[in-house]
Each structure stands twice: as C-alpha cells, then as structure tokens.
C-alpha cells in the first residue's frame, strides 16, 4: 500500500504567525483530505483537496484560515494562518482508496 | 448530516477478557463503516471495515458486523491482550474512496496484565 509522510511532526508557534504542513504520498492519489484532532476530541474533516481545483471546505472551516494547495497527485499542503491558541491540535492528511482511508503520522501544533 | 456515536472511555479490562466497544451511526443512504486504531506513539491505522449491511469485518481477532436495522457497528474481541491497549475510533464514509470520514470520539482501551 502507498506510504504517506507528513512534516513537520510537531511545532510550537507564536500566535499571529502561520504554519504550512506538507503531505507527500509515494503514489498518485486522486483525492487527499485534511483533518484536525483537537485535544481530547475526535478527528474532524477540514477539507478535501483535488489536484487542479480549489479545495472543498467543511462547515466551520474557511479558505482564508486554512489555505490548501494540491499542485500534483502526490503532494498537498495545509497552512494554518494567523494562529491562535485555539488552533493547537493535531493535523492529519489522508487519502482514500477502495479499501479505506490511510493517514499520515500527524503534525502536533502548539500555539503559544 | 452524518454522525458517529461510540462509548466513551477509558475502558479498562484484564487480559483475556471479552471486549465490546459500541458504535452507532446516523447517515443518509448506505455508508461504509470502519474501525481505526491508534497505538501509543503511532499513527491512525485501519483495523477493519464493512461496506454493506450484514458484512462482517475482521482483523487481528477483532470483528464487527454492519447492522443496518440497528445502525450499529460494534467492535468485539474474544480475548484481549495487553498489546491491544490503544484508542479505537469508529468511522463512516458515504462513498468509500471518494469521501472523507466522519469519526466517533474514540475509546481509550487499557488492558491490564
């Protein structure tokens, strides 16, 4: 099965700054997904990213706050913009096949 | 919209005990159902899945049956081991391979020797 890698694995950032998270898959995938896991909470889908088109955001998430790029079929980035302590979470990228969804190791973000 | 409800933890059991983690869902149509596991310090892994009513998913001694009549997908294992200690997430997808997942809150399972 395809391998999905994500970086950075963790970061501590100052409020008001932005962080870009990278996600690389070792084979071509049509759709990639970005999730957030807040402390003690479940995973929540942020957006779906298709190559060559704008990402589709779930309710409660907006492009200005979480811009996403998908330049090709193996790579995507998620930026967390103008961060506040409430953005402290684990962010995960994912892709799906007919057998299920596969996840990166996650980026643990702490905003201070 | 879709939702998944699973029993809250932590669930603490002795080794070799029988395990059930309840999961119920709300969805329009006929979703695919999944159990994911997150071992300490590791990423999220697919444990098992079922794509239609009455399907049984199984892996590593764990089983779950897609029950449409009760909208449930309970996870079971006949004899747990210390190595099964992890967080277990129930999830659904409207269209496997094409849609994102809706997750339950996760159940932290602790197995004591």
């Amino acid at each position: 099965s395809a391998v999905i890698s994500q970086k950075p694995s963790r970061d501590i950032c100052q409020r008001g700054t932005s962080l870009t998270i990278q996600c690389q898959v070792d084979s071509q995938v049509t759709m990639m997904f970005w999730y957030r896991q807040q402390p003690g909470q479940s995973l929540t889908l942020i957006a779906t990213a298709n190559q060559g088109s704008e990402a589709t955001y779930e309710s409660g998430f907006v492009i200005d706050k979480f811009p996403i790029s998908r330049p090709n079929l193996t790579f995507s980035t998620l930026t967390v913009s103008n961060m506040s302590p409430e953005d402290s979470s684990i962010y995960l990228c994912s892709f799906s096949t007919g057998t299920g969804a596969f996840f990166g190791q996650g980026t643990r973000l702490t905003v201070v | 919209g879709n939702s998944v409800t699973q029993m809250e933890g932590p669930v603490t059991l002795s080794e070799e005990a029988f395990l059930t983690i309840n999961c119920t869902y709300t969805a329009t149509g006929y979703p695919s159902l999944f159990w994911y596991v997150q071992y300490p310090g590791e990423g999220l892994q697919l444990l098992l899945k079922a794509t239609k009513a009455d399907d049984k998913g199984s892996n590593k001694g764990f089983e779950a049956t897609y029950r449409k009549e009760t909208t449930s997908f309970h996870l079971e294992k006949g004899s747990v081991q210390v190595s099964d200690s992890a967080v277990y997430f129930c999830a659904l997808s409207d269209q496997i391979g094409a849609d994102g997942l809706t997750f339950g809150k996760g159940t932290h399972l602790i197995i004591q020797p």
Side-chain angles (χ1 to χ4, degrees):
Chain A
S1 60
V3 174
I4 182 168
S5 58
Q6 191 174 330
K7 60 180 180 181
S9 58
R10 59 178 63 228
D11 207 341
I12 300 173
C13 300
Q14 298 291 321
R15 66 179 69 199
T17 64
S18 297
L19 175 71
T20 295
I21 302 167
Q22 299 180 5
C23 183
Q24 179 79 50
V25 186
D26 69 352
S27 62
Q28 295 183 340
V29 296
T30 304
M31 304 179 77
M32 294 179 73
F33 305 88
W34 287 96
Y35 292 83
R36 180 175 72 182
Q37 185 176 20
Q38 294 179 299
Q41 302 296 315
S42 185
L43 286 81
T44 301
L45 181 64
I46 297 172
T48 302
N50 282 336
Q51 190 263 338
S53 62
E54 269 197 13
T56 302
Y57 289 82
E58 299 297 307
S59 176
F61 298 96
V62 295
I63 188 171
D64 290 346
K65 177 67 176 177
F66 298 101
I68 288 171
S69 77
R70 183 81 200 275
N72 57 54
L73 291 174
T74 64
F75 188 77
S76 179
T77 68
L78 169 76
T79 299
V80 186
S81 303
N82 189 24
M83 289 184 284
S84 67
E86 291 71 35
D87 294 319
S88 297
S89 294
I90 299 173
Y91 293 85
L92 299 103
C93 66
S94 170
F95 70 93
S96 287
T97 70
T99 57
F102 300 89
F103 290 82
Q105 291 283 86
T107 296
R108 184 180 294 273
L109 170 63
T110 302
V111 183
V112 298
Chain B
N2 295 340
S3 67
V4 175
T5 302
Q6 64 181 103
M7 60 192 294
E8 305 260 343
V11 173
T12 303
L13 295 172
S14 298
E15 206 165 20
E16 299 183 1
F18 184 87
L19 168 71
T20 300
I21 301 178
N22 291 336
C23 171
T24 58
Y25 68 90
T26 302
T28 54
Y30 303 92
S32 294
L33 302 175
F34 308 87
W35 277 99
Y36 281 83
V37 59
Q38 190 168 37
Y39 297 104
E42 298 187 16
L44 207 58
Q45 302 174 25
L46 176 63
L47 180 61
L48 54 84
K49 71 176 190 295
T51 58
K52 61 183 187 295
D54 299 326
D55 265 3
K56 178 186 284 188
S58 61
N59 187 23
K60 299 182 180 181
F62 291 89
E63 293 183 339
T65 301
Y66 190 145
R67 301 287 189 199
K68 184 162 176 60
E69 63 276 13
T70 54
T71 62
S72 65
F73 193 54
H74 304 322
L75 183 68
E76 297 182 335
K77 186 174 185 182
S79 176
V80 293
Q81 305 301 312
V82 172
S83 57
D84 293 326
S85 298
V87 180
Y88 292 81
F89 292 92
C90 185
L92 69 81
S93 171
D94 282 332
Q95 187 174 354
I96 188 170
D99 292 327
L101 297 174
T102 300
F103 282 88
K105 290 192 172 184
T107 302
H108 186 193
L109 175 65
I110 301 168
I111 307 300
Q112 297 178 333

